[in-house]
Amino acid sequence: MQGELLPVSSDLGRFHGVPRTMVEVTNQKEAGCKSKGQRGCCRWFQKICPCCCRQKSLHDINETDLSEDLHQPLNGDNELKELLLSVCSVDLLSNKTGQNRLEHHTDLYHGNELIIRRGQTFLMELDLSRPFNSKIDKLHLDLRTGPRPAVSKNTHVLIPLVEELQDERWEAKIVEQNSNRIKLSVNSDPKAVIGRYKLTVTVSCPNGKAATTHDPSKDIIMLFNPWCEDDTVYMDDEEERKEYVLNDTGRLYYGTEKQIGARTWNYGQFHEGILDACLYVLDKTEMLPSARGDSVNVVRVLSAMINSPDDSGVLAGNWSGNYAGGVSPTAWSGSVDILKKYSQEGGMPVKYGQCWVFSGVTTTVLRCLGIPCRSVTNFQSAHDTDVSLTTDVYFDENMEPINHLNTDSVWNFHVWNDCWMARPDLPPGIGGWQAVDSTPQETSHGRFRCGPASLTAIRTGQVYLKYDTPFVFAEVNSDKIYWQKNRDGTFRQIHIEKKAVGHYISTKAVGSDERTDITHLYKHAEGSEEERIAVETASRYGSKPDMYSTSKVDVTVEVNLEGEGPRMGADAQLTIVVTNLSSQPRSATLHSQVAVMYYTGVLKGTVKKEKSVVIPLHSSSPVKTMEWVLPYQCYQDQLVDQAALMLTLSGRVTETQQVLATQTSFRLRTPDLKIEVRAVVGKEMGAKIIFTNPLPRTLKGVVFRVEGLGLQKVHEVVVGDVGSHSTVTVTEQFIPTQAGPRKLVAALDCKQLTQVHGVADIAVLKAKGGECI
């Protein structure tokens, strides 16, 4: 009599602990050998004479056989071996050209690991020891991340097998079965912890349970997902996703508001070793793995980790002008070398960086991890040191600057980052672009970091919303307050510049290399009622909430640049314009001094100082224009990295005692490196790099640093000395390794001349057979 199958209710397709099974009942007479010893004899006889004693099938074995044989050694028990369920192999379908990588927009990452984005399904295949039977077999996936995985911390994930997948949870479903092979569709939680997961697969059946051992080659890397609506970093515009997540090159802006310079930066987030390096940076933080599902926390921690002062982060800042033992900040042209060097040398800070380098590396790390990010430059960027939300300038009784009190500064330019995310920790409407700054300026909760601060909060003056919103507000929209010392030692407010800071806030345009002005995202139009309300709202939370004066102003002074401004190696010429806004005649005294300045707003020293001049301002000719000249000989031995100077004008209107005061920064423009690219026979290409020394002096120890993603790795070319006004040409040969539009970037490294660089666009075509030409 054949055995009869009796169904027992079970939760088919889900994993909830110990599974129920289908129990088989057989007739005792047909059970064959009854005792344990007899069954052993039967098995022995079967082995020596299989033709006389056929092997049992699933329908020939009763429940007693199964339960007792679970405790018996399996070696040699062929009839039980075929009943055991085990995983023979796991295929993550992780090839970079395969469905998983393409659908998750991770096909640009180097290598063939499984790199996926959270909140989205992915496929994997399992080869089993026998066909999977959903009625009696169970299966679940086990993912672990961090040093001490825990289910309660979302760092140990048990993924059950279900009949139908649902959103916003970890689940797996069999979507295809072919003999012993099954294909799973696995869904992840859109709030999942990001990072590297160790994978094991556990299967069980009535006669036992088996699990795969961890294979590092089968690790899964989880990233943030801007394509998933349930992820906090979701961005709904596809062109913006391509720019702010997938674009591996960009433009960084520098100089002054009237002389905006641009340079190409290789972010290289998909380059070989960079994903591992970014995960290494994340591991170096003190952030618990369980917190890595929160994009706000990840960005805040990384803004501290990109700089080195208090946590041995990626980059050591240096504004001294002496870069011995490292690379000059102006010589870098990309993030790849920096991040690889940091991870390969065990977390030793890389020397050296300044704001644009910190920003470029931050863009690389955030884009690599899946957070939309861009580098942003603010011209006339204030550095508020006393949380007054104003930029304060102090003069003595004789209108001479009091340097030891002038700790606030205005940088010619400052580069930071915007990242895109929701802010569930803040009131509704505050999400979107968030300012984050990795340049070490001031500490925030004990660390050198800044942000993320909502641009919406900054624009409206809601500086009480975290993180570091007051500091960023002051950078882009603080008033510049001039104070004069009284005889009794106190100070009185003598002048307010309401449009002194936060000009031409710039970032690279979406889909092109053009500059986009995003000042309107940070502040209302200067002088508008909305902008004044924002300033007054913010000032209530500063240390000087009652500093505003209502004194009448009827004479103004401003400084203008002609064209693109003065060139390095020539006399610098500016125009001073004094205007009488009243209907009465006025006269004013005015004196000036110019100082060489680091781009951060810190003065190195005075270069030229002129005594007061008397300026008559008649009502019939209210505008007085004067030419101001700084000879090359005055500044030739005084320049620092960014070749920036600060002109300070101060004076007084005789009739009204109105104080005149203004400061203008300007840079001396440096030449670009010209790059000429030509195709050579076969796959080799050549590029000519041409440089002309603009100075009437010899440049010593000139070095070119050349790199191009998909073209060649960073390569240093020692040029040596370049004579006065001489031209040097260097030819570089290289073989492209990737097809598509590429950029070859070159930068000059020289003590006497900085911020000299160039870029060439190259279209690399695929040859027959898939090779690049």
Side-chain angles (χ1 to χ4, degrees):
M1 179 179 176
Q2 188 170 341
E4 180 182 1
L5 290 175
L6 300 178
V8 179
S9 63
S10 64
D11 295 327
L12 294 180
R14 293 187 179 272
F15 179 77
H16 294 293
V18 180
R20 300 181 181 179
T21 65
M22 300 294 291
V23 179
E24 183 180 358
V25 180
T26 62
N27 186 288
Q28 286 289 337
K29 292 183 180 179
E30 295 183 5
C33 305
K34 299 182 182 62
S35 68
K36 185 175 179 180
Q38 288 173 322
R39 283 195 299 275
C41 293
C42 290
R43 286 196 296 271
W44 174 82
F45 187 73
Q46 180 188 25
K47 292 173 187 177
I48 63 172
C49 189
C51 60
C52 299
C53 185
R54 67 177 181 87
Q55 187 174 348
K56 293 182 179 181
S57 68
L58 175 63
H59 298 290
D60 295 326
I61 301 177
N62 62 27
E63 188 181 24
T64 306
D65 290 331
L66 288 173
S67 61
E68 290 190 8
D69 284 335
L70 281 175
H71 303 285
Q72 300 301 317
L74 297 180
N75 294 334
D77 290 354
N78 293 331
E79 75 278 17
L80 291 179
K81 277 187 176 180
E82 68 174 355
L83 292 177
L84 286 172
L85 181 63
S86 60
V87 180
C88 300
S89 66
V90 177
D91 187 351
L92 295 181
L93 307 176
S94 58
N95 189 284
K96 64 186 301 182
T97 60
Q99 181 179 349
N100 278 336
R101 296 280 293 271
L102 289 172
E103 290 185 351
H104 283 254
H105 304 91
T106 59
D107 52 301
L108 295 175
Y109 289 90
H110 185 273
N112 287 311
E113 290 181 289
L114 181 56
I115 306 168
I116 58 175
R117 300 187 187 276
R118 65 184 190 176
Q120 188 173 338
T121 59
F122 61 95
L123 299 173
M124 60 188 296
E125 292 184 346
L126 305 177
D127 277 325
L128 306 175
S129 58
R130 60 167 174 77
F132 185 83
N133 185 342
S134 61
K135 294 182 179 181
I136 62 172
D137 300 328
K138 300 296 177 184
L139 178 149
H140 77 270
L141 309 179
D142 189 298
L143 292 177
R144 302 169 189 248
T145 186
R148 291 181 293 276
V151 173
S152 60
K153 301 293 186 181
N154 298 318
T155 52
H156 180 190
V157 181
L158 298 173
I159 306 176
L161 203 60
V162 299
E163 293 180 343
E164 293 298 333
L165 297 178
Q166 299 184 42
D167 294 335
E168 300 187 44
R169 64 182 63 184
W170 286 98
E171 289 178 333
K173 174 187 177 182
I174 298 176
V175 293
E176 187 178 311
Q177 182 165 357
N178 184 10
S179 187
N180 291 12
R181 170 163 287 211
I182 60 173
K183 178 180 284 187
L184 299 178
S185 177
V186 185
N187 193 39
S188 61
D189 188 336
K191 297 180 177 62
V193 169
I194 67 160
R196 184 181 295 274
Y197 285 85
K198 299 176 180 179
L199 169 69
T200 57
V201 183
T202 300
V203 292
S204 60
C205 62
N207 67 323
K209 184 177 182 180
T212 61
T213 56
H214 169 240
D215 179 357
S217 67
K218 304 298 182 183
D219 284 353
I220 297 175
I221 299 177
M222 181 71 72
L223 306 177
F224 290 102
N225 192 354
W227 284 265
C228 175
E229 293 184 7
D230 297 315
D231 198 313
T232 53
V233 302
Y234 172 68
M235 178 175 269
D236 62 358
D237 188 292
E238 178 60 21
E239 293 305 310
E240 290 187 345
R241 288 192 292 245
K242 288 179 181 178
E243 179 66 47
Y244 300 131
V245 182
L246 300 181
N247 195 352
D248 57 5
T249 60
R251 301 280 276 174
L252 304 181
Y253 299 95
Y254 64 95
T256 68
E257 60 180 302
K258 297 178 182 178
Q259 301 164 283
I260 297 177
R263 63 180 301 173
T264 298
W265 191 267
N266 284 330
Y267 298 124
Q269 66 267 34
F270 306 119
H271 197 278
E272 180 182 3
I274 295 304
L275 177 55
D276 284 338
C278 292
L279 294 175
Y280 176 77
V281 173
L282 200 55
D283 287 340
K284 286 279 289 182
T285 69
E286 296 180 358
M287 186 182 201
L288 295 174
S290 58
R292 295 181 187 178
D294 185 339
S295 55
V296 175
N297 285 339
V298 169
V299 165
R300 183 155 174 78
V301 166
L302 287 175
S303 75
M305 197 62 202
I306 300 301
N307 63 67
S308 66
D310 42 30
D311 47 20
S312 295
V314 176
L315 272 167
N318 187 339
W319 288 264
S320 70
N322 179 8
Y323 307 117
V327 175
S328 167
T330 58
W332 299 112
S333 56
S335 308
V336 171
D337 262 20
I338 295 170
L339 287 166
K340 292 180 74 172
K341 183 177 178 67
Y342 180 73
S343 61
Q344 291 170 358
E345 296 185 357
M348 291 291 294
V350 178
K351 302 176 180 178
Y352 293 103
Q354 291 181 9
C355 71
W356 65 92
V357 188
F358 287 108
S359 175
V361 173
T362 299
T363 299
T364 299
V365 174
L366 295 189
R367 286 187 184 181
C368 185
L369 297 178
I371 299 175
C373 183
R374 63 190 182 191
S375 289
V376 172
T377 301
N378 178 38
F379 292 96
Q380 293 299 99
S381 185
H383 181 176
D384 177 23
T385 59
D386 60 0
V387 202
S388 65
L389 299 182
T390 59
T391 303
D392 300 301
V393 182
Y394 294 92
F395 295 92
D396 62 17
E397 297 90 336
N398 300 316
M399 289 301 293
E400 294 286 340
I402 306 176
N403 292 330
H404 72 276
L405 293 181
N406 291 331
T407 55
D408 287 354
S409 60
V410 178
W411 299 27
N412 288 338
F413 70 96
H414 182 43
V415 190
W416 63 69
N417 297 84
D418 285 346
C419 59
W420 180 273
M421 65 182 66
R423 290 299 299 270
D425 58 323
L426 298 179
I430 303 298
W433 287 115
Q434 314 285 316
V436 56
D437 194 348
S438 300
T439 301
Q441 297 179 86
E442 300 291 334
T443 58
S444 173
H445 296 102
R447 294 286 185 89
F448 282 101
R449 56 186 169 187
C450 181
S454 166
L455 265 61
T456 300
I458 295 165
R459 189 170 189 258
T460 54
Q462 298 179 79
V463 296
Y464 48 84
L465 296 175
K466 59 184 182 181
Y467 289 98
D468 308 310
T469 310
F471 186 81
V472 183
F473 178 90
E475 287 181 303
V476 300
N477 205 15
S478 60
D479 286 346
K480 196 170 189 179
I481 312 294
Y482 293 81
W483 304 85
Q484 185 177 22
K485 189 176 183 180
N486 298 317
R487 294 184 181 278
D488 61 0
T490 61
F491 285 86
R492 63 188 180 93
Q493 183 187 128
I494 58 174
H495 182 58
I496 298 179
E497 280 189 80
K498 297 179 180 180
K499 302 179 182 180
V501 306
H503 300 164
Y504 300 101
I505 303 175
S506 303
T507 191
K508 177 188 172 299
V510 174
S512 78
D513 284 339
E514 297 300 314
R515 182 182 68 87
T516 293
D517 191 309
I518 58 171
T519 308
H520 63 284
L521 297 181
Y522 276 87
K523 58 200 288 191
H524 293 285
E526 287 283 10
S528 67
E529 184 177 3
E530 294 89 346
E531 187 263 345
R532 285 291 94 193
I533 290 173
V535 171
E536 292 175 15
T537 299
S539 69
R540 297 171 191 165
Y541 301 91
S543 58
K544 298 176 182 177
D546 302 318
M547 86 289 290
Y548 291 99
S549 163
T550 58
S551 60
K552 185 178 180 180
V553 174
D554 59 14
V555 176
T556 63
V557 60
E558 62 179 335
V559 179
N560 295 330
L561 296 178
E562 295 294 331
E564 295 181 339
R567 290 181 172 273
M568 175 70 72
D571 295 349
Q573 185 170 321
L574 307 178
T575 302
I576 300 173
V577 180
V578 184
T579 304
N580 180 9
L581 301 176
S582 75
S583 59
Q584 303 296 319
R586 297 281 187 259
S587 61
T589 58
L590 195 67
H591 62 270
S592 66
Q593 69 176 39
V594 63
V596 172
M597 181 179 64
Y598 295 97
Y599 82 97
T600 58
V602 177
L603 299 180
K604 178 186 177 185
T606 300
V607 177
K608 180 184 178 183
K609 188 174 182 179
E610 292 181 335
K611 294 182 179 180
S612 301
V613 296
V614 179
I615 306 168
L617 298 167
H618 303 293
S619 56
S620 58
S621 54
V623 179
K624 180 73 173 180
T625 301
M626 299 173 292
E627 298 299 324
W628 181 88
V629 178
L630 176 67
Y632 169 71
Q633 290 75 15
C634 290
Y635 69 78
Q636 63 177 337
D637 297 321
Q638 302 294 327
L639 295 181
V640 290
D641 282 349
Q642 299 297 321
L645 299 110
M646 169 72 81
L647 173 63
T648 300
L649 300 175
S650 61
R652 190 183 298 277
V653 179
T654 305
E655 291 79 6
T656 63
Q657 296 300 297
Q658 174 197 335
V659 172
L660 301 175
T662 188
Q663 292 179 315
T664 300
S665 60
F666 62 95
R667 71 182 179 94
L668 302 169
R669 292 191 299 113
T670 54
D672 292 329
L673 293 179
K674 296 180 180 178
I675 304 178
E676 299 176 356
V677 181
R678 59 184 176 86
V680 185
V681 177
K683 295 175 289 184
E684 190 175 51
M685 299 185 71
K688 284 187 178 180
I689 304 172
I690 305 168
F691 166 68
T692 300
N693 178 8
L695 301 183
R697 64 195 305 183
T698 299
L699 298 179
K700 301 288 187 179
V702 174
V703 175
F704 290 164
R705 290 172 59 88
V706 186
E707 71 170 303
L709 298 176
L711 297 174
Q712 71 167 31
K713 297 180 179 179
V714 177
H715 176 54
E716 288 193 352
V717 180
V718 178
V719 177
D721 296 346
V722 179
S724 168
H725 300 298
S726 296
T727 299
V728 61
T729 301
V730 172
T731 301
E732 278 285 285
Q733 303 290 341
F734 55 89
I735 299 175
T737 59
Q738 295 180 19
R742 301 281 108 191
K743 291 181 184 292
L744 186 68
V745 181
L748 178 144
D749 190 4
C750 173
K751 179 68 175 177
Q752 300 95 344
L753 189 63
T754 63
Q755 282 292 22
V756 177
H757 40 78
V759 60
D761 292 312
I762 303 173
V764 182
L765 305 177
K766 279 190 176 181
K768 293 180 180 180
E771 295 183 349
C772 297
I773 61 172

